[in-house]
Amino acid sequence: MIAAVANFLAGLIVTLGVLILIARLAFSLPEIENRQDTQALPPTTEGALAAALASQEEAHGGQTGVAPLQKGADAFAARILLADAAVSSIDAQYYIWHDDLTGTLLLGALRRAADRGVWVRLMLDDNGTAGLDPELAALDAHPMIEVRLWNPFNLRRFKMLSYGFDFFRLNRRMHNKSFTVDGHATILGGRNIGDEYFATGPTAPYVDLDVLAVGRVVADVAADFDRYWRAGAVHPAGRIVGAPREGDPLATRLAGLETDPQLGEYRQILQSSDIVNALAAGEFGVEWTTAQLVSDDPIKDEGAVAREDLLASRLADAVGEIETRFDGVSPYFVPGKAGVEAFAQLAARGVQVRMLTNSLDATDVLPVHAGYAKRRKDMLRSGVQLYELRQQAAVDAPIDRLGPFGTSDASLHAKTFAVDGARIFVGSFNFDPRSTTLNTEMGLLIDSDRMAQGLHDAFNADLRGLAWRVELDDGDMIWRDPQTDVVTTDEPGTSLLRRLALTIVGWLPVEWML
């Protein structure tokens, strides 16, 4: 009996192996040997953006100007207005680009720029391009636009089935996000392109954070884009999505938005914003300082790389020794055993360590919360202070009270941390194994007392009622509302099914890919 079962299992494994091999051969990706790799254009000396920044760049030679983009509407307007001001080039790199209102409007802005003679390069992770194949094909056919897809899926319809025969390649994604215009300005941080990232649409918005950067670091971002543009994981979109179809799918999609009530609101936002003139007048809140781009080598897509070459290691080296305070924000916080030990060592040295992540009620990825929950008690015992964003956070609070986390009924998506009241990191990196070892990531480490202290102050104020403070009471976890001091012993958002799911996922050996 045992021998028969063993033979059956062996035969099943061989059959599955053969089927996977056949599928990979049948749905293989096209070769990229004849791909022509372009490079970023030098900063233009013409156009409104160059004129607006010329005197400031000269006055602050070698420095970087940074301004946080906290509100979703402002972050959207900044991208659209910069694209509309472009006269030379736009390089955009994103993990997700949705086919919704804001995603479509931004594609329209890219094509308007190309129609004016601006050279546009668009690089997207193929995991986040659902529904956009016709538009991407049409854009790629434009003489002034190049579109490339990172680690594309073998199948265009039912894309997720590709995981069944090419899992280990497709499990590695490009999580980077940047938007660089004319070689003079770039936006990078946590936001992808889609309604929920810009605080509109039918889904609950994300609480997110970007920075607008001008000056010295823009050249570094442009060079980093070139590194990814010529990476082996990148494929010209036309070879993946096929030839453009008849008609103009982007124009059709844009016309369909005319009845969207949100379109009028966003037009008003754009009409009331003038980023270029604000930059020229010094009224955009730009702080001139030093900033360092930290980015993964795109070769990370090809498999394991030396730990010292990972963004996490480079970032730790750039930050240096933490002396007094570390306040972090990570929506997908899965510290793992090594992370718990690292935080515990900081706390043992007397460093105040505080972390904000999503509560079970607010999270949009339950398995990730399971990876966090299994390490929660160990972190609390080591002295780490934990906060969890409430789903119905400060419903009636005005935006100035909400500070850098300001909205209600939202899910956390910002990825940032502040150190010793002097430095702040803003980027795409989560404190989880996926960001550390699987996905490529990027971000800016900024020397800014103002921005760092702003994050510290938010934690000092117990995040202004937006988050539960998780504590231990005689070894049991409790969730305390810091403003009302109301305590619950049941995890907010829990249910029998959710508790069962969290327990099961916590048992499974999947922490390495959360």
Side-chain angles (χ1 to χ4, degrees):
M1 179 64 179
I2 295 177
V5 171
N7 288 335
F8 170 77
L9 291 176
L12 181 61
I13 291 172
V14 170
T15 300
L16 287 175
V18 171
L19 291 175
I20 289 173
L21 179 61
I22 291 173
R24 295 188 67 172
L25 291 173
F27 301 106
S28 60
L29 296 174
E31 300 293 334
I32 61 172
E33 278 82 359
N34 297 323
R35 184 186 68 187
Q36 299 296 313
D37 293 330
T38 50
Q39 290 186 321
L41 295 179
T44 181
T45 58
E46 301 177 350
L49 192 56
L53 293 169
S55 61
Q56 296 183 57
E57 290 175 342
E58 184 177 355
H60 300 279
Q63 287 191 306
T64 296
V66 293
L69 299 172
Q70 296 175 356
K71 298 179 183 179
D74 292 340
F76 171 77
R79 288 165 170 85
I80 286 277
L81 295 172
L82 286 176
D84 284 343
V87 298
S88 175
S89 65
I90 300 174
D91 288 338
Q93 176 183 18
Y94 283 96
Y95 173 58
I96 290 173
W97 195 299
H98 284 322
D99 61 344
D100 53 16
L101 171 68
T102 54
T104 303
L105 292 177
L106 277 163
L107 288 181
L110 295 183
R111 190 167 71 176
R112 284 198 305 275
D115 289 342
R116 299 193 308 270
V118 175
W119 183 35
V120 177
R121 295 190 296 175
L122 178 60
M123 179 166 39
L124 302 177
D125 186 288
D126 195 36
N127 191 52
T129 61
L132 281 178
D133 279 9
E135 288 78 10
L136 295 180
L139 289 172
D140 192 53
H142 193 292
M144 294 301 294
I145 301 177
E146 293 183 79
V147 182
R148 291 190 175 181
L149 297 177
W150 177 277
N151 224 356
F153 283 73
N154 314 66
L155 303 173
R156 302 319 296 169
R157 296 184 64 187
F158 310 111
K159 286 171 69 172
M160 295 302 105
L161 293 179
S162 303
Y163 278 111
F165 57 87
D166 210 355
F167 174 80
F168 290 101
R169 177 181 69 85
L170 294 173
N171 192 41
R172 294 180 175 273
R173 309 310 317 176
M174 181 192 75
H175 200 230
N176 309 42
K177 308 144 188 10
S178 67
F179 192 90
T180 305
V181 177
D182 282 354
H184 285 284
T186 188
I187 297 172
L188 67 163
R191 286 185 177 92
N192 294 298
I193 305 299
D195 288 354
E196 61 267 42
Y197 303 99
F198 299 122
T200 190
T203 58
Y206 283 127
V207 180
D208 223 324
L209 179 64
D210 291 323
V211 290
L212 169 71
V214 297
R216 174 66 185 86
V217 84
V218 179
D220 296 333
V221 176
D224 196 64
F225 184 97
D226 283 346
R227 261 203 321 169
Y228 277 79
W229 189 252
R230 60 177 180 261
V234 176
H235 290 251
R239 304 181 191 181
I240 303 298
V241 301
R245 304 175 187 176
E246 291 186 8
D248 189 339
L250 181 54
T252 300
R253 192 183 287 273
L254 286 167
L257 294 175
E258 289 298 324
T259 58
D260 191 323
Q262 291 287 356
L263 182 59
E265 177 184 335
Y266 267 73
R267 280 176 172 160
Q268 290 179 4
I269 291 170
L270 295 175
Q271 290 169 0
S272 63
S273 301
D274 192 349
I275 184 174
V276 176
N277 284 335
L279 286 170
E283 297 172 352
F284 200 75
V286 171
E287 176 185 0
W288 289 91
T289 180
T290 57
Q292 179 179 347
L293 174 68
V294 188
S295 174
D296 271 313
D297 190 317
I299 201 173
K300 187 178 181 182
D301 170 81
E302 299 178 16
V305 299
R307 177 160 290 275
E308 61 268 20
D309 293 331
L310 295 172
L311 175 142
S313 300
R314 293 174 178 171
L315 185 56
D317 291 341
V319 169
E321 184 169 345
I322 301 171
E323 297 179 356
T324 59
R325 286 177 291 176
F326 180 95
D327 288 331
V329 179
S330 181
Y332 311 121
F333 181 37
V334 186
K337 183 178 179 181
V340 172
E341 292 175 354
F343 283 130
Q345 289 173 7
L346 286 176
R349 289 200 291 107
V351 175
Q352 182 182 49
V353 181
R354 298 178 291 191
M355 288 294 301
L356 169 67
T357 191
N358 278 311
S359 66
L360 176 60
D361 214 17
T363 188
D364 60 337
V365 186
L366 188 141
V368 168
H369 190 83
Y372 155 73
K374 69 185 290 185
R375 305 290 182 183
R376 194 162 39 191
K377 276 192 175 182
D378 289 338
M379 285 187 288
L380 291 171
R381 291 190 188 104
S382 72
V384 176
Q385 298 176 46
L386 296 177
Y387 292 83
E388 296 178 2
L389 187 78
R390 298 163 57 187
Q391 184 189 44
Q392 300 289 342
V395 175
D396 298 321
I399 191 68
D400 58 348
R401 180 171 170 236
L402 298 180
F405 309 107
T407 189
S408 63
D409 195 15
S411 180
L412 186 66
H413 197 259
K415 305 108 167 54
T416 183
F417 64 79
V419 176
D420 294 339
R423 288 157 291 169
I424 189 167
F425 173 82
V426 179
S428 66
F429 179 80
N430 287 297
F431 285 87
D432 63 13
R434 173 161 291 279
S435 281
T436 302
T437 60
L438 294 174
N439 293 347
T440 64
E441 308 286 353
M442 71 185 301
L444 285 186
L445 181 63
I446 304 164
D447 291 331
S448 172
D449 297 352
R450 184 179 69 184
M451 291 179 65
Q453 192 58 51
L455 187 56
H456 291 322
D457 288 345
F459 275 92
N460 292 342
D462 281 318
L463 301 166
R464 302 172 178 87
L466 292 174
W468 300 98
R469 191 170 64 215
V470 188
E471 302 173 357
L472 287 178
D473 182 19
D474 291 331
D476 296 322
M477 283 189 300
I478 60 172
W479 285 260
R480 184 185 302 275
D481 182 332
Q483 291 203 322
T484 65
D485 214 35
V486 170
V487 170
T488 177
T489 57
D490 294 325
E491 181 165 8
T494 193
S495 66
L496 178 60
L497 287 177
R498 281 191 160 193
R499 286 196 297 272
L500 181 61
L502 289 174
T503 301
I504 293 174
V505 174
W507 287 340
L508 296 176
V510 295
E511 188 177 65
W512 64 276
M513 62 179 182
L514 294 177

